[in-house]
Amino acid sequence: MNFEDYKGIWVYIEEQEGVIAPVSLELLGAGRQLADKRGVELAGVLIGNRVKHLSQTVFEYGADTVYVYDDPIFEHYRTEPYMYALLDCCQKHKPEVILYGATPTGKDLASAVATDLPTGLTADTTMLDIEEDTGLLLASRPAFGGNIMATILCKKYRPQMATVRPKVMKALKREPGRTGKVVEERIWLREEDVRTKVLEIVRETTKKVRIDEADIVVAGGKGLESKEGFQLIHQLADVLGGAVGASRDVVEAGWIDHHHQVGQTGVTVTPKIYFAIGISGAIQHLVGMQNSGLIIAINKDPHAPIFQACHYGIVGDAFEIVPLLIEHFKQA
Ligand code: FAD
């Protein structure tokens, strides 16, 4: 494999119903830095039905080129057609790096593409860098229970690929009117060749705020003692219009489902305000919330590690303090 043939940083642009996933815009920001360091182009790969017009947004967030596969066969995400499109694009244009959001779609597509190329894939990356001269991607992620950051290298193959957690990279400020080159591509695939059919789409109807999009997250830990005690977290989140978060121990105890778990094996959140109530502050929890704007901790142990990571700390019993906060915010 001649590495000289592979040039450019790519971002897979995830789109649903005409809207680009925020993580793709964040990755354009990260990709721009890598491309500038290497002195190569940044490209977005856009696959979908009636998506070509979204290229403009991709340029405005930093891309130089957008490869577009626009066809009714891509109406809904399915592994096979999307994988064939991306493989086709790789064969024709040979990127040195491809970044995907670590979302259900991004993870599915990246692993399918990695298997077929074949190349390596670093999953759930939280830090990215590139060697200026060799183009070796330095993709880092927490390992060994979050106690170390492992930097994973793909020395023998190209392209180098990584899925990157939402909310850990920063999108660039949008530059209206910024343009670039659109390259329209096609693959010849018939509907009957695709083994997966979309029979029905069931929409989530909950009115609750999504934890990864909320401005305020109220998270509770084992200090709440029971599922009943954990109701205080729901009540405080409700009065503040925030989302409920939880430590892994709470999820494992069955007090709330895994979607609410914050941390290394849960979601990464960066709300404006994060309440950590009855949470000790284990490293695996901290990696999922430490970039929040303002962290407020309530814990009865003054030596709990969470107090090293918060902006404001209240040493006290959650069962006394949280009801006072709920009352206060109800009246505010
Ligand atoms: P504890 O550590 O038991 O802390 C409870 C806290 O509540 C204590 O600090 C205590 O002082 C306080 N408290 C008790 N009573 C009260 C009261 N009445 N009022 C106020 N405070 C009170 N954890 C995660 O959260 N997310 C992850 O994604 C995650 N991934 C992991 C991955 C791996 C590979 C491993 C090994 C672990 C992972 N963990 C994760 C688990 C993590 O190590 C901790 O065990 C967990 O975060 C602890 O949860 P906790 O803070 O709720 O419980």
mmCIF file with all atom_site columns, all heavy atoms in Angstrom, residues 221-223 247-249 261-266 278-280 282 284-285 299-301 316-318, ligand 1:
data_model
loop_
_atom_site.group_PDB
_atom_site.id
_atom_site.type_symbol
_atom_site.label_atom_id
_atom_site.label_alt_id
_atom_site.label_comp_id
_atom_site.label_asym_id
_atom_site.label_entity_id
_atom_site.label_seq_id
_atom_site.pdbx_PDB_ins_code
_atom_site.Cartn_x
_atom_site.Cartn_y
_atom_site.Cartn_z
_atom_site.occupancy
_atom_site.B_iso_or_equiv
_atom_site.pdbx_formal_charge
_atom_site.auth_seq_id
_atom_site.auth_comp_id
_atom_site.auth_asym_id
_atom_site.auth_atom_id
_atom_site.pdbx_PDB_model_num
ATOM   1   N N   . GLY A 1 221 ? -26.650 10.024 41.966 1.00 0.00 ? 221 GLY A N   1
ATOM   2   C CA  . GLY A 1 221 ? -25.847 8.815  42.158 1.00 0.00 ? 221 GLY A CA  1
ATOM   3   C C   . GLY A 1 221 ? -26.386 7.948  43.270 1.00 0.00 ? 221 GLY A C   1
ATOM   4   O O   . GLY A 1 221 ? -27.518 8.162  43.761 1.00 0.00 ? 221 GLY A O   1
ATOM   5   N N   . LYS A 1 222 ? -25.573 6.982  43.699 1.00 0.00 ? 222 LYS A N   1
ATOM   6   C CA  . LYS A 1 222 ? -25.992 6.008  44.699 1.00 0.00 ? 222 LYS A CA  1
ATOM   7   C C   . LYS A 1 222 ? -26.335 6.667  46.033 1.00 0.00 ? 222 LYS A C   1
ATOM   8   O O   . LYS A 1 222 ? -27.020 6.073  46.867 1.00 0.00 ? 222 LYS A O   1
ATOM   9   C CB  . LYS A 1 222 ? -24.905 4.954  44.897 1.00 0.00 ? 222 LYS A CB  1
ATOM   10  C CG  . LYS A 1 222 ? -24.936 3.799  43.910 1.00 0.00 ? 222 LYS A CG  1
ATOM   11  C CD  . LYS A 1 222 ? -26.280 3.138  43.743 1.00 0.00 ? 222 LYS A CD  1
ATOM   12  C CE  . LYS A 1 222 ? -26.612 1.992  44.671 1.00 0.00 ? 222 LYS A CE  1
ATOM   13  N NZ  . LYS A 1 222 ? -25.808 0.812  44.546 1.00 0.00 ? 222 LYS A NZ  1
ATOM   14  N N   . GLY A 1 223 ? -25.874 7.891  46.224 1.00 0.00 ? 223 GLY A N   1
ATOM   15  C CA  . GLY A 1 223 ? -26.199 8.625  47.449 1.00 0.00 ? 223 GLY A CA  1
ATOM   16  C C   . GLY A 1 223 ? -27.698 8.833  47.629 1.00 0.00 ? 223 GLY A C   1
ATOM   17  O O   . GLY A 1 223 ? -28.170 9.132  48.730 1.00 0.00 ? 223 GLY A O   1
ATOM   18  N N   . SER A 1 247 ? -25.320 8.128  37.459 1.00 0.00 ? 247 SER A N   1
ATOM   19  C CA  . SER A 1 247 ? -24.046 7.399  37.449 1.00 0.00 ? 247 SER A CA  1
ATOM   20  C C   . SER A 1 247 ? -24.326 5.960  37.001 1.00 0.00 ? 247 SER A C   1
ATOM   21  O O   . SER A 1 247 ? -25.481 5.521  36.983 1.00 0.00 ? 247 SER A O   1
ATOM   22  C CB  . SER A 1 247 ? -23.438 7.388  38.848 1.00 0.00 ? 247 SER A CB  1
ATOM   23  O OG  . SER A 1 247 ? -24.236 6.599  39.705 1.00 0.00 ? 247 SER A OG  1
ATOM   24  N N   . ARG A 1 248 ? -23.270 5.249  36.686 1.00 0.00 ? 248 ARG A N   1
ATOM   25  C CA  . ARG A 1 248 ? -23.465 3.873  36.223 1.00 0.00 ? 248 ARG A CA  1
ATOM   26  C C   . ARG A 1 248 ? -24.054 2.992  37.330 1.00 0.00 ? 248 ARG A C   1
ATOM   27  O O   . ARG A 1 248 ? -24.877 2.120  37.053 1.00 0.00 ? 248 ARG A O   1
ATOM   28  C CB  . ARG A 1 248 ? -22.144 3.261  35.730 1.00 0.00 ? 248 ARG A CB  1
ATOM   29  C CG  . ARG A 1 248 ? -22.375 1.899  35.118 1.00 0.00 ? 248 ARG A CG  1
ATOM   30  C CD  . ARG A 1 248 ? -21.179 1.382  34.376 1.00 0.00 ? 248 ARG A CD  1
ATOM   31  N NE  . ARG A 1 248 ? -20.299 0.615  35.247 1.00 0.00 ? 248 ARG A NE  1
ATOM   32  C CZ  . ARG A 1 248 ? -19.342 -0.185 34.793 1.00 0.00 ? 248 ARG A CZ  1
ATOM   33  N NH1 . ARG A 1 248 ? -19.143 -0.302 33.493 1.00 0.00 ? 248 ARG A NH1 1
ATOM   34  N NH2 . ARG A 1 248 ? -18.575 -0.841 35.615 1.00 0.00 ? 248 ARG A NH2 1
ATOM   35  N N   . ASP A 1 249 ? -23.644 3.247  38.559 1.00 0.00 ? 249 ASP A N   1
ATOM   36  C CA  . ASP A 1 249 ? -24.143 2.394  39.647 1.00 0.00 ? 249 ASP A CA  1
ATOM   37  C C   . ASP A 1 249 ? -25.664 2.510  39.778 1.00 0.00 ? 249 ASP A C   1
ATOM   38  O O   . ASP A 1 249 ? -26.340 1.542  40.108 1.00 0.00 ? 249 ASP A O   1
ATOM   39  C CB  . ASP A 1 249 ? -23.451 2.767  40.969 1.00 0.00 ? 249 ASP A CB  1
ATOM   40  C CG  . ASP A 1 249 ? -21.986 2.333  40.965 1.00 0.00 ? 249 ASP A CG  1
ATOM   41  O OD1 . ASP A 1 249 ? -21.414 2.188  39.854 1.00 0.00 ? 249 ASP A OD1 1
ATOM   42  O OD2 . ASP A 1 249 ? -21.407 2.143  42.047 1.00 0.00 ? 249 ASP A OD2 1
ATOM   43  N N   . GLN A 1 261 ? -27.215 7.377  31.484 1.00 0.00 ? 261 GLN A N   1
ATOM   44  C CA  . GLN A 1 261 ? -25.900 7.216  32.135 1.00 0.00 ? 261 GLN A CA  1
ATOM   45  C C   . GLN A 1 261 ? -24.862 8.165  31.538 1.00 0.00 ? 261 GLN A C   1
ATOM   46  O O   . GLN A 1 261 ? -24.629 8.195  30.336 1.00 0.00 ? 261 GLN A O   1
ATOM   47  C CB  . GLN A 1 261 ? -25.405 5.780  31.971 1.00 0.00 ? 261 GLN A CB  1
ATOM   48  C CG  . GLN A 1 261 ? -24.079 5.561  32.697 1.00 0.00 ? 261 GLN A CG  1
ATOM   49  C CD  . GLN A 1 261 ? -23.596 4.144  32.545 1.00 0.00 ? 261 GLN A CD  1
ATOM   50  O OE1 . GLN A 1 261 ? -24.375 3.200  32.651 1.00 0.00 ? 261 GLN A OE1 1
ATOM   51  N NE2 . GLN A 1 261 ? -22.312 3.979  32.290 1.00 0.00 ? 261 GLN A NE2 1
ATOM   52  N N   . VAL A 1 262 ? -24.242 8.916  32.430 1.00 0.00 ? 262 VAL A N   1
ATOM   53  C CA  . VAL A 1 262 ? -23.207 9.861  32.009 1.00 0.00 ? 262 VAL A CA  1
ATOM   54  C C   . VAL A 1 262 ? -21.852 9.235  32.317 1.00 0.00 ? 262 VAL A C   1
ATOM   55  O O   . VAL A 1 262 ? -21.650 8.688  33.398 1.00 0.00 ? 262 VAL A O   1
ATOM   56  C CB  . VAL A 1 262 ? -23.351 11.190 32.789 1.00 0.00 ? 262 VAL A CB  1
ATOM   57  C CG1 . VAL A 1 262 ? -22.203 12.135 32.483 1.00 0.00 ? 262 VAL A CG1 1
ATOM   58  C CG2 . VAL A 1 262 ? -24.684 11.848 32.467 1.00 0.00 ? 262 VAL A CG2 1
ATOM   59  N N   . GLY A 1 263 ? -20.924 9.324  31.355 1.00 0.00 ? 263 GLY A N   1
ATOM   60  C CA  . GLY A 1 263 ? -19.575 8.840  31.648 1.00 0.00 ? 263 GLY A CA  1
ATOM   61  C C   . GLY A 1 263 ? -18.977 8.020  30.534 1.00 0.00 ? 263 GLY A C   1
ATOM   62  O O   . GLY A 1 263 ? -19.512 7.965  29.427 1.00 0.00 ? 263 GLY A O   1
ATOM   63  N N   . GLN A 1 264 ? -17.919 7.385  30.886 1.00 0.00 ? 264 GLN A N   1
ATOM   64  C CA  . GLN A 1 264 ? -17.109 6.656  29.919 1.00 0.00 ? 264 GLN A CA  1
ATOM   65  C C   . GLN A 1 264 ? -17.909 5.627  29.130 1.00 0.00 ? 264 GLN A C   1
ATOM   66  O O   . GLN A 1 264 ? -17.732 5.464  27.933 1.00 0.00 ? 264 GLN A O   1
ATOM   67  C CB  . GLN A 1 264 ? -16.004 5.947  30.687 1.00 0.00 ? 264 GLN A CB  1
ATOM   68  C CG  . GLN A 1 264 ? -15.027 5.225  29.802 1.00 0.00 ? 264 GLN A CG  1
ATOM   69  C CD  . GLN A 1 264 ? -14.181 4.300  30.649 1.00 0.00 ? 264 GLN A CD  1
ATOM   70  O OE1 . GLN A 1 264 ? -13.838 4.645  31.769 1.00 0.00 ? 264 GLN A OE1 1
ATOM   71  N NE2 . GLN A 1 264 ? -13.865 3.155  30.126 1.00 0.00 ? 264 GLN A NE2 1
ATOM   72  N N   . THR A 1 265 ? -18.799 4.908  29.809 1.00 0.00 ? 265 THR A N   1
ATOM   73  C CA  . THR A 1 265 ? -19.593 3.901  29.104 1.00 0.00 ? 265 THR A CA  1
ATOM   74  C C   . THR A 1 265 ? -21.032 4.376  28.926 1.00 0.00 ? 265 THR A C   1
ATOM   75  O O   . THR A 1 265 ? -21.919 3.594  28.621 1.00 0.00 ? 265 THR A O   1
ATOM   76  C CB  . THR A 1 265 ? -19.547 2.550  29.855 1.00 0.00 ? 265 THR A CB  1
ATOM   77  O OG1 . THR A 1 265 ? -19.632 2.813  31.264 1.00 0.00 ? 265 THR A OG1 1
ATOM   78  C CG2 . THR A 1 265 ? -18.257 1.820  29.578 1.00 0.00 ? 265 THR A CG2 1
ATOM   79  N N   . GLY A 1 266 ? -21.236 5.672  29.101 1.00 0.00 ? 266 GLY A N   1
ATOM   80  C CA  . GLY A 1 266 ? -22.545 6.275  28.868 1.00 0.00 ? 266 GLY A CA  1
ATOM   81  C C   . GLY A 1 266 ? -22.397 7.403  27.865 1.00 0.00 ? 266 GLY A C   1
ATOM   82  O O   . GLY A 1 266 ? -21.630 7.290  26.914 1.00 0.00 ? 266 GLY A O   1
ATOM   83  N N   . GLY A 1 278 ? -25.142 13.341 45.129 1.00 0.00 ? 278 GLY A N   1
ATOM   84  C CA  . GLY A 1 278 ? -24.898 11.988 45.664 1.00 0.00 ? 278 GLY A CA  1
ATOM   85  C C   . GLY A 1 278 ? -24.052 11.153 44.723 1.00 0.00 ? 278 GLY A C   1
ATOM   86  O O   . GLY A 1 278 ? -24.207 9.946  44.634 1.00 0.00 ? 278 GLY A O   1
ATOM   87  N N   . ILE A 1 279 ? -23.169 11.826 43.973 1.00 0.00 ? 279 ILE A N   1
ATOM   88  C CA  . ILE A 1 279 ? -22.256 11.148 43.036 1.00 0.00 ? 279 ILE A CA  1
ATOM   89  C C   . ILE A 1 279 ? -20.836 11.347 43.573 1.00 0.00 ? 279 ILE A C   1
ATOM   90  O O   . ILE A 1 279 ? -20.446 12.487 43.861 1.00 0.00 ? 279 ILE A O   1
ATOM   91  C CB  . ILE A 1 279 ? -22.389 11.748 41.614 1.00 0.00 ? 279 ILE A CB  1
ATOM   92  C CG1 . ILE A 1 279 ? -23.753 11.386 41.019 1.00 0.00 ? 279 ILE A CG1 1
ATOM   93  C CG2 . ILE A 1 279 ? -21.250 11.296 40.704 1.00 0.00 ? 279 ILE A CG2 1
ATOM   94  C CD1 . ILE A 1 279 ? -24.016 11.943 39.636 1.00 0.00 ? 279 ILE A CD1 1
ATOM   95  N N   . SER A 1 280 ? -20.075 10.259 43.681 1.00 0.00 ? 280 SER A N   1
ATOM   96  C CA  . SER A 1 280 ? -18.748 10.385 44.318 1.00 0.00 ? 280 SER A CA  1
ATOM   97  C C   . SER A 1 280 ? -17.745 11.128 43.431 1.00 0.00 ? 280 SER A C   1
ATOM   98  O O   . SER A 1 280 ? -16.875 11.825 43.926 1.00 0.00 ? 280 SER A O   1
ATOM   99  C CB  . SER A 1 280 ? -18.208 9.000  44.674 1.00 0.00 ? 280 SER A CB  1
ATOM   100 O OG  . SER A 1 280 ? -18.166 8.175  43.538 1.00 0.00 ? 280 SER A OG  1
ATOM   101 N N   . ALA A 1 282 ? -16.166 9.456  40.438 1.00 0.00 ? 282 ALA A N   1
ATOM   102 C CA  . ALA A 1 282 ? -15.181 8.513  39.880 1.00 0.00 ? 282 ALA A CA  1
ATOM   103 C C   . ALA A 1 282 ? -14.741 9.022  38.506 1.00 0.00 ? 282 ALA A C   1
ATOM   104 O O   . ALA A 1 282 ? -15.530 9.667  37.797 1.00 0.00 ? 282 ALA A O   1
ATOM   105 C CB  . ALA A 1 282 ? -15.811 7.125  39.737 1.00 0.00 ? 282 ALA A CB  1
ATOM   106 N N   . GLN A 1 284 ? -14.432 7.623  35.749 1.00 0.00 ? 284 GLN A N   1
ATOM   107 C CA  . GLN A 1 284 ? -15.287 7.176  34.626 1.00 0.00 ? 284 GLN A CA  1
ATOM   108 C C   . GLN A 1 284 ? -16.540 8.037  34.508 1.00 0.00 ? 284 GLN A C   1
ATOM   109 O O   . GLN A 1 284 ? -17.127 8.131  33.439 1.00 0.00 ? 284 GLN A O   1
ATOM   110 C CB  . GLN A 1 284 ? -15.708 5.709  34.823 1.00 0.00 ? 284 GLN A CB  1
ATOM   111 C CG  . GLN A 1 284 ? -14.570 4.738  34.804 1.00 0.00 ? 284 GLN A CG  1
ATOM   112 C CD  . GLN A 1 284 ? -13.971 4.503  36.189 1.00 0.00 ? 284 GLN A CD  1
ATOM   113 O OE1 . GLN A 1 284 ? -14.348 5.147  37.156 1.00 0.00 ? 284 GLN A OE1 1
ATOM   114 N NE2 . GLN A 1 284 ? -13.036 3.577  36.272 1.00 0.00 ? 284 GLN A NE2 1
ATOM   115 N N   . HIS A 1 285 ? -16.963 8.639  35.608 1.00 0.00 ? 285 HIS A N   1
ATOM   116 C CA  . HIS A 1 285 ? -18.102 9.566  35.541 1.00 0.00 ? 285 HIS A CA  1
ATOM   117 C C   . HIS A 1 285 ? -17.621 10.944 35.056 1.00 0.00 ? 285 HIS A C   1
ATOM   118 O O   . HIS A 1 285 ? -18.236 11.550 34.175 1.00 0.00 ? 285 HIS A O   1
ATOM   119 C CB  . HIS A 1 285 ? -18.784 9.695  36.901 1.00 0.00 ? 285 HIS A CB  1
ATOM   120 C CG  . HIS A 1 285 ? -20.054 10.481 36.823 1.00 0.00 ? 285 HIS A CG  1
ATOM   121 N ND1 . HIS A 1 285 ? -21.255 9.915  36.426 1.00 0.00 ? 285 HIS A ND1 1
ATOM   122 C CD2 . HIS A 1 285 ? -20.310 11.796 37.034 1.00 0.00 ? 285 HIS A CD2 1
ATOM   123 C CE1 . HIS A 1 285 ? -22.178 10.855 36.409 1.00 0.00 ? 285 HIS A CE1 1
ATOM   124 N NE2 . HIS A 1 285 ? -21.643 12.008 36.769 1.00 0.00 ? 285 HIS A NE2 1
ATOM   125 N N   . ASN A 1 299 ? -22.870 16.632 48.130 1.00 0.00 ? 299 ASN A N   1
ATOM   126 C CA  . ASN A 1 299 ? -22.408 15.342 48.644 1.00 0.00 ? 299 ASN A CA  1
ATOM   127 C C   . ASN A 1 299 ? -22.160 15.488 50.137 1.00 0.00 ? 299 ASN A C   1
ATOM   128 O O   . ASN A 1 299 ? -21.655 16.524 50.583 1.00 0.00 ? 299 ASN A O   1
ATOM   129 C CB  . ASN A 1 299 ? -21.113 14.929 47.915 1.00 0.00 ? 299 ASN A CB  1
ATOM   130 C CG  . ASN A 1 299 ? -20.796 13.466 48.105 1.00 0.00 ? 299 ASN A CG  1
ATOM   131 O OD1 . ASN A 1 299 ? -20.689 12.979 49.223 1.00 0.00 ? 299 ASN A OD1 1
ATOM   132 N ND2 . ASN A 1 299 ? -20.659 12.765 46.997 1.00 0.00 ? 299 ASN A ND2 1
ATOM   133 N N   . LYS A 1 300 ? -22.502 14.457 50.889 1.00 0.00 ? 300 LYS A N   1
ATOM   134 C CA  . LYS A 1 300 ? -22.330 14.623 52.347 1.00 0.00 ? 300 LYS A CA  1
ATOM   135 C C   . LYS A 1 300 ? -20.902 14.332 52.805 1.00 0.00 ? 300 LYS A C   1
ATOM   136 O O   . LYS A 1 300 ? -20.554 14.617 53.952 1.00 0.00 ? 300 LYS A O   1
ATOM   137 C CB  . LYS A 1 300 ? -23.362 13.797 53.118 1.00 0.00 ? 300 LYS A CB  1
ATOM   138 C CG  . LYS A 1 300 ? -23.217 12.309 53.054 1.00 0.00 ? 300 LYS A CG  1
ATOM   139 C CD  . LYS A 1 300 ? -24.311 11.691 53.933 1.00 0.00 ? 300 LYS A CD  1
ATOM   140 C CE  . LYS A 1 300 ? -24.158 10.187 53.965 1.00 0.00 ? 300 LYS A CE  1
ATOM   141 N NZ  . LYS A 1 300 ? -25.253 9.531  54.652 1.00 0.00 ? 300 LYS A NZ  1
ATOM   142 N N   . ASP A 1 301 ? -20.085 13.781 51.903 1.00 0.00 ? 301 ASP A N   1
ATOM   143 C CA  . ASP A 1 301 ? -18.683 13.509 52.252 1.00 0.00 ? 301 ASP A CA  1
ATOM   144 C C   . ASP A 1 301 ? -17.790 14.652 51.739 1.00 0.00 ? 301 ASP A C   1
ATOM   145 O O   . ASP A 1 301 ? -17.617 14.800 50.528 1.00 0.00 ? 301 ASP A O   1
ATOM   146 C CB  . ASP A 1 301 ? -18.261 12.176 51.617 1.00 0.00 ? 301 ASP A CB  1
ATOM   147 C CG  . ASP A 1 301 ? -16.778 11.889 51.802 1.00 0.00 ? 301 ASP A CG  1
ATOM   148 O OD1 . ASP A 1 301 ? -16.105 12.658 52.535 1.00 0.00 ? 301 ASP A OD1 1
ATOM   149 O OD2 . ASP A 1 301 ? -16.297 10.906 51.202 1.00 0.00 ? 301 ASP A OD2 1
ATOM   150 N N   . GLY A 1 316 ? -23.394 18.312 52.284 1.00 0.00 ? 316 GLY A N   1
ATOM   151 C CA  . GLY A 1 316 ? -24.622 18.135 53.052 1.00 0.00 ? 316 GLY A CA  1
ATOM   152 C C   . GLY A 1 316 ? -25.435 16.975 52.521 1.00 0.00 ? 316 GLY A C   1
ATOM   153 O O   . GLY A 1 316 ? -25.066 16.339 51.531 1.00 0.00 ? 316 GLY A O   1
ATOM   154 N N   . ASP A 1 317 ? -26.563 16.760 53.189 1.00 0.00 ? 317 ASP A N   1
ATOM   155 C CA  . ASP A 1 317 ? -27.429 15.617 52.869 1.00 0.00 ? 317 ASP A CA  1
ATOM   156 C C   . ASP A 1 317 ? -28.387 16.000 51.726 1.00 0.00 ? 317 ASP A C   1
ATOM   157 O O   . ASP A 1 317 ? -29.153 16.961 51.838 1.00 0.00 ? 317 ASP A O   1
ATOM   158 C CB  . ASP A 1 317 ? -28.220 15.269 54.148 1.00 0.00 ? 317 ASP A CB  1
ATOM   159 C CG  . ASP A 1 317 ? -29.022 13.996 53.975 1.00 0.00 ? 317 ASP A CG  1
ATOM   160 O OD1 . ASP A 1 317 ? -29.320 13.617 52.823 1.00 0.00 ? 317 ASP A OD1 1
ATOM   161 O OD2 . ASP A 1 317 ? -29.354 13.379 55.009 1.00 0.00 ? 317 ASP A OD2 1
ATOM   162 N N   . ALA A 1 318 ? -28.338 15.217 50.638 1.00 0.00 ? 318 ALA A N   1
ATOM   163 C CA  . ALA A 1 318 ? -29.191 15.503 49.473 1.00 0.00 ? 318 ALA A CA  1
ATOM   164 C C   . ALA A 1 318 ? -30.665 15.536 49.861 1.00 0.00 ? 318 ALA A C   1
ATOM   165 O O   . ALA A 1 318 ? -31.448 16.305 49.298 1.00 0.00 ? 318 ALA A O   1
ATOM   166 C CB  . ALA A 1 318 ? -28.964 14.452 48.400 1.00 0.00 ? 318 ALA A CB  1
HETATM 167 P P1  . FAD B 2 .   ? -20.711 5.919  44.820 1.00 0.00 ? 1   FAD B P1  1
HETATM 168 O O1  . FAD B 2 .   ? -19.314 5.891  44.367 1.00 0.00 ? 1   FAD B O1  1
HETATM 169 O O2  . FAD B 2 .   ? -21.178 4.858  45.763 1.00 0.00 ? 1   FAD B O2  1
HETATM 170 O O3  . FAD B 2 .   ? -20.934 7.353  45.462 1.00 0.00 ? 1   FAD B O3  1
HETATM 171 C C1  . FAD B 2 .   ? -22.076 7.738  46.170 1.00 0.00 ? 1   FAD B C1  1
HETATM 172 C C2  . FAD B 2 .   ? -21.799 9.100  46.744 1.00 0.00 ? 1   FAD B C2  1
HETATM 173 O O4  . FAD B 2 .   ? -22.960 9.593  47.363 1.00 0.00 ? 1   FAD B O4  1
HETATM 174 C C3  . FAD B 2 .   ? -20.700 9.114  47.809 1.00 0.00 ? 1   FAD B C3  1
HETATM 175 O O5  . FAD B 2 .   ? -19.713 10.079 47.473 1.00 0.00 ? 1   FAD B O5  1
HETATM 176 C C4  . FAD B 2 .   ? -21.401 9.491  49.098 1.00 0.00 ? 1   FAD B C4  1
HETATM 177 O O6  . FAD B 2 .   ? -20.610 10.323 49.947 1.00 0.00 ? 1   FAD B O6  1
HETATM 178 C C5  . FAD B 2 .   ? -22.590 10.260 48.567 1.00 0.00 ? 1   FAD B C5  1
HETATM 179 N N1  . FAD B 2 .   ? -23.761 10.225 49.451 1.00 0.00 ? 1   FAD B N1  1
HETATM 180 C C6  . FAD B 2 .   ? -24.259 9.189  50.167 1.00 0.00 ? 1   FAD B C6  1
HETATM 181 N N2  . FAD B 2 .   ? -25.396 9.556  50.797 1.00 0.00 ? 1   FAD B N2  1
HETATM 182 C C7  . FAD B 2 .   ? -25.610 10.876 50.505 1.00 0.00 ? 1   FAD B C7  1
HETATM 183 C C8  . FAD B 2 .   ? -26.612 11.805 50.848 1.00 0.00 ? 1   FAD B C8  1
HETATM 184 N N3  . FAD B 2 .   ? -27.666 11.464 51.637 1.00 0.00 ? 1   FAD B N3  1
HETATM 185 N N4  . FAD B 2 .   ? -26.503 13.046 50.357 1.00 0.00 ? 1   FAD B N4  1
HETATM 186 C C9  . FAD B 2 .   ? -25.464 13.432 49.556 1.00 0.00 ? 1   FAD B C9  1
HETATM 187 N N5  . FAD B 2 .   ? -24.489 12.578 49.190 1.00 0.00 ? 1   FAD B N5  1
HETATM 188 C C10 . FAD B 2 .   ? -24.567 11.300 49.640 1.00 0.00 ? 1   FAD B C10 1
HETATM 189 N N6  . FAD B 2 .   ? -19.569 5.328  36.275 1.00 0.00 ? 1   FAD B N6  1
HETATM 190 C C11 . FAD B 2 .   ? -20.321 6.277  35.713 1.00 0.00 ? 1   FAD B C11 1
HETATM 191 O O7  . FAD B 2 .   ? -20.971 7.071  36.405 1.00 0.00 ? 1   FAD B O7  1
HETATM 192 N N7  . FAD B 2 .   ? -20.408 6.362  34.338 1.00 0.00 ? 1   FAD B N7  1
HETATM 193 C C12 . FAD B 2 .   ? -19.751 5.524  33.511 1.00 0.00 ? 1   FAD B C12 1
HETATM 194 O O8  . FAD B 2 .   ? -19.880 5.648  32.281 1.00 0.00 ? 1   FAD B O8  1
HETATM 195 C C13 . FAD B 2 .   ? -18.916 4.524  34.101 1.00 0.00 ? 1   FAD B C13 1
HETATM 196 N N8  . FAD B 2 .   ? -18.207 3.681  33.316 1.00 0.00 ? 1   FAD B N8  1
HETATM 197 C C14 . FAD B 2 .   ? -17.387 2.773  33.929 1.00 0.00 ? 1   FAD B C14 1
HETATM 198 C C15 . FAD B 2 .   ? -16.575 1.952  33.125 1.00 0.00 ? 1   FAD B C15 1
HETATM 199 C C16 . FAD B 2 .   ? -15.730 1.044  33.727 1.00 0.00 ? 1   FAD B C16 1
HETATM 200 C C17 . FAD B 2 .   ? -14.862 0.177  32.855 1.00 0.00 ? 1   FAD B C17 1
HETATM 201 C C18 . FAD B 2 .   ? -15.674 0.948  35.135 1.00 0.00 ? 1   FAD B C18 1
HETATM 202 C C19 . FAD B 2 .   ? -14.725 -0.017 35.785 1.00 0.00 ? 1   FAD B C19 1
HETATM 203 C C20 . FAD B 2 .   ? -16.460 1.740  35.930 1.00 0.00 ? 1   FAD B C20 1
HETATM 204 C C21 . FAD B 2 .   ? -17.347 2.660  35.340 1.00 0.00 ? 1   FAD B C21 1
HETATM 205 N N9  . FAD B 2 .   ? -18.152 3.465  36.118 1.00 0.00 ? 1   FAD B N9  1
HETATM 206 C C22 . FAD B 2 .   ? -18.887 4.444  35.515 1.00 0.00 ? 1   FAD B C22 1
HETATM 207 C C23 . FAD B 2 .   ? -18.329 3.259  37.581 1.00 0.00 ? 1   FAD B C23 1
HETATM 208 C C24 . FAD B 2 .   ? -17.521 4.211  38.428 1.00 0.00 ? 1   FAD B C24 1
HETATM 209 O O9  . FAD B 2 .   ? -16.220 3.696  38.625 1.00 0.00 ? 1   FAD B O9  1
HETATM 210 C C25 . FAD B 2 .   ? -18.186 4.401  39.801 1.00 0.00 ? 1   FAD B C25 1
HETATM 211 O O10 . FAD B 2 .   ? -18.339 3.126  40.413 1.00 0.00 ? 1   FAD B O10 1
HETATM 212 C C26 . FAD B 2 .   ? -19.554 5.070  39.754 1.00 0.00 ? 1   FAD B C26 1
HETATM 213 O O11 . FAD B 2 .   ? -19.496 6.249  38.985 1.00 0.00 ? 1   FAD B O11 1
HETATM 214 C C27 . FAD B 2 .   ? -19.996 5.408  41.158 1.00 0.00 ? 1   FAD B C27 1
HETATM 215 O O12 . FAD B 2 .   ? -21.313 5.826  41.169 1.00 0.00 ? 1   FAD B O12 1
HETATM 216 P P2  . FAD B 2 .   ? -21.864 6.772  42.301 1.00 0.00 ? 1   FAD B P2  1
HETATM 217 O O13 . FAD B 2 .   ? -21.027 8.002  42.365 1.00 0.00 ? 1   FAD B O13 1
HETATM 218 O O14 . FAD B 2 .   ? -23.322 6.936  42.074 1.00 0.00 ? 1   FAD B O14 1
HETATM 219 O O15 . FAD B 2 .   ? -21.734 5.869  43.617 1.00 0.00 ? 1   FAD B O15 1
#
